[in-house]
Amino acid sequence: MYQWDLATDGYCRRVHVVAVLACDGVIGFDLATPVEVFGRVQLSDGQPAYELRVCAPRRVVEAGPYAVRAPWGLSGLRGAHTVIVPGVADPLAPVAPQVLQAVRAAAARGTRVASICVGAFALAAAGLLDGRRATTHWAAAAELARRYPDVEVDPNVLYVDEGAVLTSAGAAAGLDLCLHLVRRDHGAAVAAQAARVSVMPLERLGGQAQFIAGPAGTAAPTGAGSSLQPLLEWVACHLDEELTLADLAAVANLSTRTLIRRFRAHTGTTPLIWVTRQRIHAAQELLETTDTPVEQIGALVGIPAATTFRQRFRTVTGVTPSGYRATFRARA
DNA sequence: TCATTGAACCGCCACA
DNA sequence: ACTGTGGCGGTTCAAT
């Protein structure tokens, strides 16, 4: 599964290979995002965290006003641990059969596959999204759902992580997705460093809804004009406290019913799931940067019951707190 | 692991 | 008529 190479200090080092697919009409922004993020991420020892391959079905592909000369053909997808599929200018155009085949084969090998923006159409065409949750650019979400009724399209989120298959919303959300993957692979500290390089918050508080233009084409006036942003920021400062739905509603000066509704529209999830995610992310940072015992970390992020903390940590990150610390603190 | 129990969530409807 | 809100009640979920 992993390619091993010998670092100069004599220790074996895992290199995670990221293959970025560039097809004709590829959107330059979508292509550049993973190239810049994965290409620049450094581990704490200064070594690059990823090996990057830009792969294309032909040696040169059109990318709008310019052309891209890709160093890898589709064979570059073989041996990759992650395949990124950027959007193309015309997502409704049929995807070349050999591209579909290559993506399908990668997924069948267990390779993680992620799309940016309307790249989701290619994943759907390859059948990778059937029965799964997915997202895409908000303006294309309805069409994706219409063409692929087996795909559960959620236009309200920045990205969807289904484990082996991930999709992200328009353009800039690709950055969120890439940073999310870095966090999954190398921990919050490395991801935070990558985010700083990109001059980008590691995590945006809202979902995609806040970027959907209103009927006049102006900035989104979702809800009755009022934003949840102050509440989300308040929560981020009070994670150590026990927070009930009623507490949040009181802070936002809304009924619980309306709060739930706004939350779904704004972040794509429910208030408490969102709060739990924030708690676990805070715990990840603490596990990486301190030697505080796991039990105490749970208390520090507002989940004082140790068993509850371990279980929630696991459902959010997929690993145990101690396992997470062992992975991401050992090399610090 | 399982049952209990209270909270969270959401559909529905009335109201402004 | 249309949109957002808030209360009610049933169901689900999760902590202990």
Side-chain angles (χ1 to χ4, degrees), chain A residues 49-78:
Chain A
Y50 296 92
E51 178 192 323
L52 192 74
R53 298 177 182 171
V54 177
C55 308
R58 293 203 319 271
R59 191 133 190 86
V60 176
V61 293
E62 300 301 321
Y66 54 92
V68 172
R69 187 157 44 81
W72 288 78
L74 292 178
S75 64
L77 269 61
R78 284 201 291 273

PDB file of all heavy atoms in Angstrom, chain A residues 49-78:
ATOM      1  N   ALA A  49       5.563  16.200   2.730  1.00  0.00           N
ATOM      2  CA  ALA A  49       4.636  15.181   3.226  1.00  0.00           C
ATOM      3  C   ALA A  49       4.038  14.349   2.096  1.00  0.00           C
ATOM      4  O   ALA A  49       3.575  13.238   2.325  1.00  0.00           O
ATOM      5  CB  ALA A  49       3.519  15.841   4.037  1.00  0.00           C
ATOM      6  N   TYR A  50       4.062  14.888   0.905  1.00  0.00           N
ATOM      7  CA  TYR A  50       3.409  14.195  -0.207  1.00  0.00           C
ATOM      8  C   TYR A  50       4.309  14.204  -1.439  1.00  0.00           C
ATOM      9  O   TYR A  50       5.089  15.127  -1.649  1.00  0.00           O
ATOM     10  CB  TYR A  50       2.080  14.876  -0.568  1.00  0.00           C
ATOM     11  CG  TYR A  50       1.051  14.829   0.526  1.00  0.00           C
ATOM     12  CD1 TYR A  50       0.941  15.863   1.449  1.00  0.00           C
ATOM     13  CD2 TYR A  50       0.200  13.743   0.644  1.00  0.00           C
ATOM     14  CE1 TYR A  50      -0.007  15.821   2.466  1.00  0.00           C
ATOM     15  CE2 TYR A  50      -0.754  13.689   1.655  1.00  0.00           C
ATOM     16  CZ  TYR A  50      -0.846  14.736   2.564  1.00  0.00           C
ATOM     17  OH  TYR A  50      -1.783  14.679   3.560  1.00  0.00           O
ATOM     18  N   GLU A  51       4.124  13.145  -2.233  1.00  0.00           N
ATOM     19  CA  GLU A  51       4.679  13.171  -3.583  1.00  0.00           C
ATOM     20  C   GLU A  51       3.537  13.480  -4.528  1.00  0.00           C
ATOM     21  O   GLU A  51       2.491  12.841  -4.488  1.00  0.00           O
ATOM     22  CB  GLU A  51       5.294  11.808  -3.931  1.00  0.00           C
ATOM     23  CG  GLU A  51       5.851  11.766  -5.358  1.00  0.00           C
ATOM     24  CD  GLU A  51       6.185  10.343  -5.779  1.00  0.00           C
ATOM     25  OE1 GLU A  51       6.668   9.566  -4.935  1.00  0.00           O
ATOM     26  OE2 GLU A  51       5.934  10.014  -6.953  1.00  0.00           O
ATOM     27  N   LEU A  52       3.749  14.475  -5.355  1.00  0.00           N
ATOM     28  CA  LEU A  52       2.664  14.972  -6.185  1.00  0.00           C
ATOM     29  C   LEU A  52       2.838  14.527  -7.631  1.00  0.00           C
ATOM     30  O   LEU A  52       3.927  14.628  -8.189  1.00  0.00           O
ATOM     31  CB  LEU A  52       2.660  16.503  -6.108  1.00  0.00           C
ATOM     32  CG  LEU A  52       1.443  17.202  -6.682  1.00  0.00           C
ATOM     33  CD1 LEU A  52       0.269  17.026  -5.746  1.00  0.00           C
ATOM     34  CD2 LEU A  52       1.752  18.673  -6.871  1.00  0.00           C
ATOM     35  N   ARG A  53       1.737  14.058  -8.224  1.00  0.00           N
ATOM     36  CA  ARG A  53       1.782  13.700  -9.645  1.00  0.00           C
ATOM     37  C   ARG A  53       0.613  14.371 -10.353  1.00  0.00           C
ATOM     38  O   ARG A  53      -0.539  14.155  -9.986  1.00  0.00           O
ATOM     39  CB  ARG A  53       1.614  12.191  -9.832  1.00  0.00           C
ATOM     40  CG  ARG A  53       2.693  11.349  -9.199  1.00  0.00           C
ATOM     41  CD  ARG A  53       2.363   9.884  -9.405  1.00  0.00           C
ATOM     42  NE  ARG A  53       3.354   9.025  -8.771  1.00  0.00           N
ATOM     43  CZ  ARG A  53       3.222   7.700  -8.638  1.00  0.00           C
ATOM     44  NH1 ARG A  53       2.122   7.114  -9.106  1.00  0.00           N
ATOM     45  NH2 ARG A  53       4.154   6.997  -8.059  1.00  0.00           N
ATOM     46  N   VAL A  54       0.908  15.165 -11.332  1.00  0.00           N
ATOM     47  CA  VAL A  54      -0.159  15.697 -12.174  1.00  0.00           C
ATOM     48  C   VAL A  54      -0.301  14.755 -13.354  1.00  0.00           C
ATOM     49  O   VAL A  54       0.647  14.558 -14.121  1.00  0.00           O
ATOM     50  CB  VAL A  54       0.143  17.130 -12.646  1.00  0.00           C
ATOM     51  CG1 VAL A  54      -0.957  17.624 -13.577  1.00  0.00           C
ATOM     52  CG2 VAL A  54       0.276  18.065 -11.440  1.00  0.00           C
ATOM     53  N   CYS A  55      -1.470  14.143 -13.477  1.00  0.00           N
ATOM     54  CA  CYS A  55      -1.682  13.088 -14.475  1.00  0.00           C
ATOM     55  C   CYS A  55      -2.729  13.542 -15.486  1.00  0.00           C
ATOM     56  O   CYS A  55      -3.728  14.148 -15.119  1.00  0.00           O
ATOM     57  CB  CYS A  55      -2.183  11.811 -13.801  1.00  0.00           C
ATOM     58  SG  CYS A  55      -1.160  11.268 -12.427  1.00  0.00           S
ATOM     59  N   ALA A  56      -2.495  13.221 -16.739  1.00  0.00           N
ATOM     60  CA  ALA A  56      -3.434  13.626 -17.785  1.00  0.00           C
ATOM     61  C   ALA A  56      -3.530  12.527 -18.827  1.00  0.00           C
ATOM     62  O   ALA A  56      -2.578  11.779 -19.040  1.00  0.00           O
ATOM     63  CB  ALA A  56      -2.986  14.932 -18.423  1.00  0.00           C
ATOM     64  N   PRO A  57      -4.688  12.428 -19.490  1.00  0.00           N
ATOM     65  CA  PRO A  57      -4.840  11.405 -20.522  1.00  0.00           C
ATOM     66  C   PRO A  57      -3.963  11.681 -21.738  1.00  0.00           C
ATOM     67  O   PRO A  57      -3.647  10.764 -22.493  1.00  0.00           O
ATOM     68  CB  PRO A  57      -6.332  11.475 -20.883  1.00  0.00           C
ATOM     69  CG  PRO A  57      -6.808  12.793 -20.389  1.00  0.00           C
ATOM     70  CD  PRO A  57      -5.933  13.158 -19.235  1.00  0.00           C
ATOM     71  N   ARG A  58      -3.614  12.946 -21.930  1.00  0.00           N
ATOM     72  CA  ARG A  58      -2.691  13.293 -23.018  1.00  0.00           C
ATOM     73  C   ARG A  58      -1.562  14.126 -22.455  1.00  0.00           C
ATOM     74  O   ARG A  58      -1.654  14.665 -21.356  1.00  0.00           O
ATOM     75  CB  ARG A  58      -3.438  14.073 -24.108  1.00  0.00           C
ATOM     76  CG  ARG A  58      -4.494  13.253 -24.846  1.00  0.00           C
ATOM     77  CD  ARG A  58      -4.767  13.878 -26.211  1.00  0.00           C
ATOM     78  NE  ARG A  58      -4.817  15.319 -26.108  1.00  0.00           N
ATOM     79  CZ  ARG A  58      -5.921  16.006 -25.839  1.00  0.00           C
ATOM     80  NH1 ARG A  58      -7.041  15.354 -25.667  1.00  0.00           N
ATOM     81  NH2 ARG A  58      -5.887  17.314 -25.765  1.00  0.00           N
ATOM     82  N   ARG A  59      -0.506  14.256 -23.233  1.00  0.00           N
ATOM     83  CA  ARG A  59       0.672  14.958 -22.721  1.00  0.00           C
ATOM     84  C   ARG A  59       0.337  16.432 -22.400  1.00  0.00           C
ATOM     85  O   ARG A  59       0.776  16.976 -21.415  1.00  0.00           O
ATOM     86  CB  ARG A  59       1.797  14.886 -23.767  1.00  0.00           C
ATOM     87  CG  ARG A  59       3.121  15.339 -23.263  1.00  0.00           C
ATOM     88  CD  ARG A  59       4.230  14.339 -23.659  1.00  0.00           C
ATOM     89  NE  ARG A  59       5.471  14.667 -22.950  1.00  0.00           N
ATOM     90  CZ  ARG A  59       5.730  14.226 -21.727  1.00  0.00           C
ATOM     91  NH1 ARG A  59       4.863  13.453 -21.103  1.00  0.00           N
ATOM     92  NH2 ARG A  59       6.860  14.559 -21.135  1.00  0.00           N
ATOM     93  N   VAL A  60      -0.477  17.038 -23.260  1.00  0.00           N
ATOM     94  CA  VAL A  60      -0.864  18.432 -23.043  1.00  0.00           C
ATOM     95  C   VAL A  60      -2.387  18.519 -23.040  1.00  0.00           C
ATOM     96  O   VAL A  60      -3.042  17.989 -23.933  1.00  0.00           O
ATOM     97  CB  VAL A  60      -0.291  19.347 -24.150  1.00  0.00           C
ATOM     98  CG1 VAL A  60      -0.777  20.777 -23.965  1.00  0.00           C
ATOM     99  CG2 VAL A  60       1.235  19.291 -24.142  1.00  0.00           C
ATOM    100  N   VAL A  61      -2.946  19.165 -22.035  1.00  0.00           N
ATOM    101  CA  VAL A  61      -4.399  19.352 -22.000  1.00  0.00           C
ATOM    102  C   VAL A  61      -4.704  20.837 -21.929  1.00  0.00           C
ATOM    103  O   VAL A  61      -3.936  21.628 -21.385  1.00  0.00           O
ATOM    104  CB  VAL A  61      -5.051  18.623 -20.799  1.00  0.00           C
ATOM    105  CG1 VAL A  61      -4.926  17.124 -20.961  1.00  0.00           C
ATOM    106  CG2 VAL A  61      -4.441  19.090 -19.493  1.00  0.00           C
ATOM    107  N   GLU A  62      -5.873  21.164 -22.496  1.00  0.00           N
ATOM    108  CA  GLU A  62      -6.316  22.556 -22.465  1.00  0.00           C
ATOM    109  C   GLU A  62      -6.855  22.876 -21.079  1.00  0.00           C
ATOM    110  O   GLU A  62      -7.527  22.058 -20.458  1.00  0.00           O
ATOM    111  CB  GLU A  62      -7.432  22.766 -23.503  1.00  0.00           C
ATOM    112  CG  GLU A  62      -7.018  22.454 -24.930  1.00  0.00           C
ATOM    113  CD  GLU A  62      -5.844  23.308 -25.378  1.00  0.00           C
ATOM    114  OE1 GLU A  62      -5.817  24.502 -25.027  1.00  0.00           O
ATOM    115  OE2 GLU A  62      -4.958  22.760 -26.066  1.00  0.00           O
ATOM    116  N   ALA A  63      -6.549  24.085 -20.637  1.00  0.00           N
ATOM    117  CA  ALA A  63      -7.085  24.555 -19.351  1.00  0.00           C
ATOM    118  C   ALA A  63      -7.572  25.981 -19.531  1.00  0.00           C
ATOM    119  O   ALA A  63      -7.054  26.916 -18.945  1.00  0.00           O
ATOM    120  CB  ALA A  63      -6.028  24.458 -18.250  1.00  0.00           C
ATOM    121  N   GLY A  64      -8.605  26.122 -20.380  1.00  0.00           N
ATOM    122  CA  GLY A  64      -9.111  27.457 -20.643  1.00  0.00           C
ATOM    123  C   GLY A  64      -8.119  28.257 -21.463  1.00  0.00           C
ATOM    124  O   GLY A  64      -7.742  27.849 -22.563  1.00  0.00           O
ATOM    125  N   PRO A  65      -7.664  29.383 -20.943  1.00  0.00           N
ATOM    126  CA  PRO A  65      -6.807  30.262 -21.741  1.00  0.00           C
ATOM    127  C   PRO A  65      -5.368  29.766 -21.880  1.00  0.00           C
ATOM    128  O   PRO A  65      -4.576  30.367 -22.588  1.00  0.00           O
ATOM    129  CB  PRO A  65      -6.848  31.583 -20.954  1.00  0.00           C
ATOM    130  CG  PRO A  65      -7.160  31.176 -19.562  1.00  0.00           C
ATOM    131  CD  PRO A  65      -8.020  29.956 -19.648  1.00  0.00           C
ATOM    132  N   TYR A  66      -5.039  28.681 -21.216  1.00  0.00           N
ATOM    133  CA  TYR A  66      -3.675  28.171 -21.340  1.00  0.00           C
ATOM    134  C   TYR A  66      -3.714  26.652 -21.404  1.00  0.00           C
ATOM    135  O   TYR A  66      -4.781  26.050 -21.327  1.00  0.00           O
ATOM    136  CB  TYR A  66      -2.788  28.647 -20.189  1.00  0.00           C
ATOM    137  CG  TYR A  66      -3.313  28.358 -18.808  1.00  0.00           C
ATOM    138  CD1 TYR A  66      -2.966  27.192 -18.140  1.00  0.00           C
ATOM    139  CD2 TYR A  66      -4.153  29.258 -18.158  1.00  0.00           C
ATOM    140  CE1 TYR A  66      -3.445  26.926 -16.869  1.00  0.00           C
ATOM    141  CE2 TYR A  66      -4.642  29.003 -16.900  1.00  0.00           C
ATOM    142  CZ  TYR A  66      -4.279  27.836 -16.249  1.00  0.00           C
ATOM    143  OH  TYR A  66      -4.762  27.581 -14.998  1.00  0.00           O
ATOM    144  N   ALA A  67      -2.552  26.057 -21.555  1.00  0.00           N
ATOM    145  CA  ALA A  67      -2.468  24.602 -21.650  1.00  0.00           C
ATOM    146  C   ALA A  67      -1.559  24.077 -20.547  1.00  0.00           C
ATOM    147  O   ALA A  67      -0.667  24.781 -20.071  1.00  0.00           O
ATOM    148  CB  ALA A  67      -1.924  24.189 -23.021  1.00  0.00           C
ATOM    149  N   VAL A  68      -1.812  22.848 -20.163  1.00  0.00           N
ATOM    150  CA  VAL A  68      -1.044  22.232 -19.085  1.00  0.00           C
ATOM    151  C   VAL A  68      -0.272  21.055 -19.654  1.00  0.00           C
ATOM    152  O   VAL A  68      -0.847  20.197 -20.327  1.00  0.00           O
ATOM    153  CB  VAL A  68      -1.978  21.740 -17.964  1.00  0.00           C
ATOM    154  CG1 VAL A  68      -1.192  20.936 -16.934  1.00  0.00           C
ATOM    155  CG2 VAL A  68      -2.682  22.919 -17.301  1.00  0.00           C
ATOM    156  N   ARG A  69       1.011  21.027 -19.415  1.00  0.00           N
ATOM    157  CA  ARG A  69       1.803  19.868 -19.824  1.00  0.00           C
ATOM    158  C   ARG A  69       2.014  18.992 -18.588  1.00  0.00           C
ATOM    159  O   ARG A  69       2.718  19.370 -17.653  1.00  0.00           O
ATOM    160  CB  ARG A  69       3.148  20.309 -20.412  1.00  0.00           C
ATOM    161  CG  ARG A  69       3.938  19.159 -21.005  1.00  0.00           C
ATOM    162  CD  ARG A  69       4.943  19.653 -22.040  1.00  0.00           C
ATOM    163  NE  ARG A  69       5.649  20.841 -21.580  1.00  0.00           N
ATOM    164  CZ  ARG A  69       6.695  20.801 -20.739  1.00  0.00           C
ATOM    165  NH1 ARG A  69       7.125  19.651 -20.289  1.00  0.00           N
ATOM    166  NH2 ARG A  69       7.285  21.907 -20.367  1.00  0.00           N
ATOM    167  N   ALA A  70       1.354  17.859 -18.592  1.00  0.00           N
ATOM    168  CA  ALA A  70       1.382  17.015 -17.406  1.00  0.00           C
ATOM    169  C   ALA A  70       2.538  16.028 -17.483  1.00  0.00           C
ATOM    170  O   ALA A  70       2.759  15.403 -18.521  1.00  0.00           O
ATOM    171  CB  ALA A  70       0.062  16.246 -17.283  1.00  0.00           C
ATOM    172  N   PRO A  71       3.298  15.882 -16.414  1.00  0.00           N
ATOM    173  CA  PRO A  71       4.440  14.968 -16.431  1.00  0.00           C
ATOM    174  C   PRO A  71       4.031  13.498 -16.363  1.00  0.00           C
ATOM    175  O   PRO A  71       4.848  12.631 -16.650  1.00  0.00           O
ATOM    176  CB  PRO A  71       5.248  15.382 -15.198  1.00  0.00           C
ATOM    177  CG  PRO A  71       4.290  16.095 -14.310  1.00  0.00           C
ATOM    178  CD  PRO A  71       3.225  16.677 -15.182  1.00  0.00           C
ATOM    179  N   TRP A  72       2.792  13.216 -15.965  1.00  0.00           N
ATOM    180  CA  TRP A  72       2.359  11.830 -15.826  1.00  0.00           C
ATOM    181  C   TRP A  72       1.164  11.551 -16.729  1.00  0.00           C
ATOM    182  O   TRP A  72       0.319  12.414 -16.923  1.00  0.00           O
ATOM    183  CB  TRP A  72       1.942  11.519 -14.388  1.00  0.00           C
ATOM    184  CG  TRP A  72       3.064  11.435 -13.414  1.00  0.00           C
ATOM    185  CD1 TRP A  72       3.735  12.485 -12.840  1.00  0.00           C
ATOM    186  CD2 TRP A  72       3.668  10.245 -12.897  1.00  0.00           C
ATOM    187  NE1 TRP A  72       4.710  12.032 -11.999  1.00  0.00           N
ATOM    188  CE2 TRP A  72       4.694  10.659 -12.001  1.00  0.00           C
ATOM    189  CE3 TRP A  72       3.453   8.881 -13.094  1.00  0.00           C
ATOM    190  CZ2 TRP A  72       5.492   9.746 -11.320  1.00  0.00           C
ATOM    191  CZ3 TRP A  72       4.250   7.976 -12.393  1.00  0.00           C
ATOM    192  CH2 TRP A  72       5.261   8.400 -11.528  1.00  0.00           C
ATOM    193  N   GLY A  73       1.105  10.337 -17.224  1.00  0.00           N
ATOM    194  CA  GLY A  73      -0.104   9.861 -17.894  1.00  0.00           C
ATOM    195  C   GLY A  73      -1.039   9.268 -16.871  1.00  0.00           C
ATOM    196  O   GLY A  73      -0.822   9.374 -15.659  1.00  0.00           O
ATOM    197  N   LEU A  74      -2.099   8.617 -17.354  1.00  0.00           N
ATOM    198  CA  LEU A  74      -3.065   8.021 -16.435  1.00  0.00           C
ATOM    199  C   LEU A  74      -2.441   6.900 -15.600  1.00  0.00           C
ATOM    200  O   LEU A  74      -2.964   6.551 -14.546  1.00  0.00           O
ATOM    201  CB  LEU A  74      -4.272   7.485 -17.217  1.00  0.00           C
ATOM    202  CG  LEU A  74      -5.143   8.560 -17.863  1.00  0.00           C
ATOM    203  CD1 LEU A  74      -6.275   7.928 -18.657  1.00  0.00           C
ATOM    204  CD2 LEU A  74      -5.691   9.517 -16.811  1.00  0.00           C
ATOM    205  N   SER A  75      -1.322   6.371 -16.072  1.00  0.00           N
ATOM    206  CA  SER A  75      -0.670   5.323 -15.284  1.00  0.00           C
ATOM    207  C   SER A  75      -0.180   5.867 -13.947  1.00  0.00           C
ATOM    208  O   SER A  75       0.083   5.106 -13.022  1.00  0.00           O
ATOM    209  CB  SER A  75       0.514   4.750 -16.063  1.00  0.00           C
ATOM    210  OG  SER A  75       1.491   5.759 -16.259  1.00  0.00           O
ATOM    211  N   GLY A  76      -0.086   7.192 -13.856  1.00  0.00           N
ATOM    212  CA  GLY A  76       0.332   7.797 -12.586  1.00  0.00           C
ATOM    213  C   GLY A  76      -0.642   7.547 -11.459  1.00  0.00           C
ATOM    214  O   GLY A  76      -0.301   7.678 -10.287  1.00  0.00           O
ATOM    215  N   LEU A  77      -1.879   7.180 -11.816  1.00  0.00           N
ATOM    216  CA  LEU A  77      -2.866   6.889 -10.777  1.00  0.00           C
ATOM    217  C   LEU A  77      -2.547   5.583 -10.064  1.00  0.00           C
ATOM    218  O   LEU A  77      -2.953   5.385  -8.916  1.00  0.00           O
ATOM    219  CB  LEU A  77      -4.276   6.827 -11.368  1.00  0.00           C
ATOM    220  CG  LEU A  77      -5.059   8.150 -11.376  1.00  0.00           C
ATOM    221  CD1 LEU A  77      -4.343   9.194 -12.196  1.00  0.00           C
ATOM    222  CD2 LEU A  77      -6.468   7.925 -11.903  1.00  0.00           C
ATOM    223  N   ARG A  78      -1.831   4.697 -10.800  1.00  0.00           N
ATOM    224  CA  ARG A  78      -1.437   3.439 -10.150  1.00  0.00           C
ATOM    225  C   ARG A  78      -0.375   3.742  -9.108  1.00  0.00           C
ATOM    226  O   ARG A  78       0.581   4.462  -9.373  1.00  0.00           O
ATOM    227  CB  ARG A  78      -0.905   2.457 -11.180  1.00  0.00           C
ATOM    228  CG  ARG A  78      -1.997   1.807 -12.005  1.00  0.00           C
ATOM    229  CD  ARG A  78      -1.506   0.494 -12.627  1.00  0.00           C
ATOM    230  NE  ARG A  78      -0.511   0.728 -13.659  1.00  0.00           N
ATOM    231  CZ  ARG A  78      -0.823   0.968 -14.938  1.00  0.00           C
ATOM    232  NH1 ARG A  78      -2.069   1.014 -15.309  1.00  0.00           N
ATOM    233  NH2 ARG A  78       0.134   1.168 -15.811  1.00  0.00           N
TER     234      ARG A  78
END
